[in-house]
Amino acid sequence: MAKQVSASLRDAREMLGTVGKNIDNTQQPGARALDTSIKISPVGKNGAYRTSVVTTRRDDPLKTKVLFSSTSSASKTQTKSVSLSFLQEAIGTATGLQKSVLVGAVGDFIAQSKYLPAIGDVSMKKAFVAKGVALADALNNATDKVNNLRLDADTDLKNGLVSLNTSLKQLYLLNQNIAISRSPQNLYDNRDRLIGEISQKLEVQAYYGHNGIANLMIKGSGHELVSATSRAEFSYAGTKSSELLTGGKIPEITITKVATEGGRDRIVSAPTAIVGGTDNPSLQGMKGGQIEGWLNLRDVELPLAGDAVKSLAAAVAKAVNGVHNNGSPYPPKTSFRGSKPVF
């Protein structure tokens, strides 16, 4: 009888602990409530019984899957939006809600050029030259903005992969605790939080094994990220600014399989390329999240914007040269005489 009373008190204490955990988690985003119940199992044939606490977690696998996918998609969109919003200030678009510096400089230059026929008015010519200088500055500033944003995207990519490696290792170590835990449900909130962090970086598929161990793969490419026995580790050296801005070599991103044993990391498989860089640009094994956003900005969106600025600069130069050539004889005179002011 004393043993049964002791067991009942132990079970009651465990159930109260679960209630306390639920209360603590009310302010934690994404936390799931735990339910507990007493399980009674007969022991032998003389009426003895054994009690145990059964803990279950309120969860909806479909909603969780949608949450991780939505996190990845939203992170990718936000990454692009933040960077392109800075670019909007310098370049702008036809449907932009604000007048960009560059668009304003072009408009002012064209408006001032209409006064050029007033040949005798020196102030008009000075104003025209001033608008031309302002336009040249705006073009240079737009080019600098594009270049700086490309460099920022590459730096963010490198730092983001370091952060991703940290989250992958934490989830891998948590998997080892889940595997041996008597109450693995108490670890699921932390597990899902880590998967959410990973989903911000790229889109993943999650499968759950023994005791709720998380197995993660990159959606689309199928590369394994975390399992019960190993984890992925990404490596990227970053691109030199001189290489990135002059069409030089962009290094690849590699993935290595690593296991941790006795507190020490052990390489399970040699590094293999997952994003090809300059040597293999078609290899794009990391989709979704901030990583795809940074790659897209660095390699597609911002280079296109830079090309647009260069095209505009070339068109303006051609137009100005045309105006100048229309007022100059050919072949040019070797000398000029007169008292008209020249600036």
Side-chain angles (χ1 to χ4, degrees), residues 251-264:
E252 63 189 11
I253 299 174
T254 61
I255 182 172
T256 305
K257 187 176 289 188
V258 179
T260 302
E261 299 171 352
R264 301 183 65 179

Side-chain angles (χ1 to χ4, degrees), residues 16-329:
L16 287 173
T18 300
V19 172
K21 181 176 176 61
N22 285 336
I23 294 174
D24 290 339
N25 285 341
T26 54
Q27 302 300 320
Q28 299 297 324
R32 303 286 191 274
L34 299 174
D35 295 322
T36 59
S37 60
I38 296 292
K39 179 181 179 181
I40 301 176
S41 304
V43 178
K45 299 181 179 180
N46 52 2
Y49 63 89
R50 178 176 57 206
T51 62
S52 60
V53 176
V54 178
T55 303
T56 57
R57 184 173 184 253
R58 301 177 196 175
D59 202 2
D60 186 330
L62 181 58
K63 287 184 179 180
T64 302
K65 181 178 179 181
V66 171
L67 174 63
F68 293 150
S69 180
S70 300
T71 298
S72 176
S73 178
S75 296
K76 173 185 173 182
T77 301
Q78 184 180 21
T79 298
K80 291 180 62 176
S81 297
V82 170
S83 184
L84 294 179
S85 67
F86 291 126
L87 186 61
Q88 167 72 18
E89 297 175 8
I91 297 178
T93 61
T95 57
L97 298 179
Q98 62 184 39
K99 184 178 180 180
S100 75
V101 174
L102 182 55
V103 171
V106 172
D108 291 344
F109 180 75
I110 293 174
Q112 190 63 45
S113 68
K114 296 177 181 179
Y115 297 104
L116 279 180
I119 301 297
D121 192 339
V122 175
S123 64
M124 291 294 103
K125 295 180 180 180
K126 289 183 177 180
F128 177 71
V129 171
K131 296 299 183 183
V133 171
L135 176 55
D137 289 342
L139 288 167
N140 288 332
N141 289 336
T143 299
D144 290 342
K145 176 70 74 173
V146 171
N147 290 340
N148 289 334
L149 287 174
R150 285 194 74 193
L151 294 173
D152 289 345
D154 191 71
T155 299
D156 290 341
L157 173 63
K158 182 178 179 180
N159 294 337
L161 289 170
V162 172
S163 175
L164 175 60
N165 286 338
T166 299
S167 296
L168 291 173
K169 185 172 184 178
Q170 289 175 346
L171 181 59
Y172 167 69
L173 295 176
L174 183 63
N175 269 346
Q176 296 178 342
N177 291 331
I178 291 175
I180 60 175
S181 175
R182 292 182 56 187
S183 303
Q185 297 86 353
N186 293 329
L187 302 176
Y188 289 173
D189 283 344
N190 198 23
R191 177 199 66 186
D192 290 350
R193 177 186 62 79
L194 288 169
I195 297 176
E197 290 180 3
I198 295 167
S199 296
Q200 289 179 357
K201 296 294 186 293
L202 74 171
E203 191 165 7
V204 301
Q205 288 181 307
Y207 305 92
Y208 303 99
H210 169 69
N211 255 20
I213 288 175
N215 298 278
L216 257 61
M217 301 169 63
I218 299 178
K219 188 173 182 179
S221 68
H223 284 87
E224 184 180 87
L225 292 174
V226 179
S227 69
T229 58
S230 65
R231 61 181 172 84
E233 186 170 283
F234 295 96
S235 179
Y236 175 60
T239 308
K240 296 179 180 178
S241 57
S242 58
E243 296 284 338
L244 183 61
L245 301 181
T246 59
K249 182 177 176 61
I250 296 176
E252 63 189 11
I253 299 174
T254 61
I255 182 172
T256 305
K257 187 176 289 188
V258 179
T260 302
E261 299 171 352
R264 301 183 65 179
D265 291 342
R266 177 176 63 85
I267 303 299
V268 177
S269 65
T272 57
I274 187 170
V275 176
T278 305
D279 293 338
N280 188 8
S282 63
L283 178 59
Q284 298 291 336
M286 305 181 77
K287 298 293 185 181
Q290 294 171 323
I291 288 175
E292 185 179 357
W294 290 321
L295 286 169
N296 202 11
L297 282 168
R298 185 195 68 184
D299 299 338
V300 180
E301 302 280 356
L302 292 173
L304 286 175
D307 290 343
V309 174
K310 292 176 184 177
S311 297
L312 176 59
V316 170
K318 183 177 180 180
V320 172
N321 287 336
V323 171
H324 174 74
N325 291 336
N326 286 338
S328 301

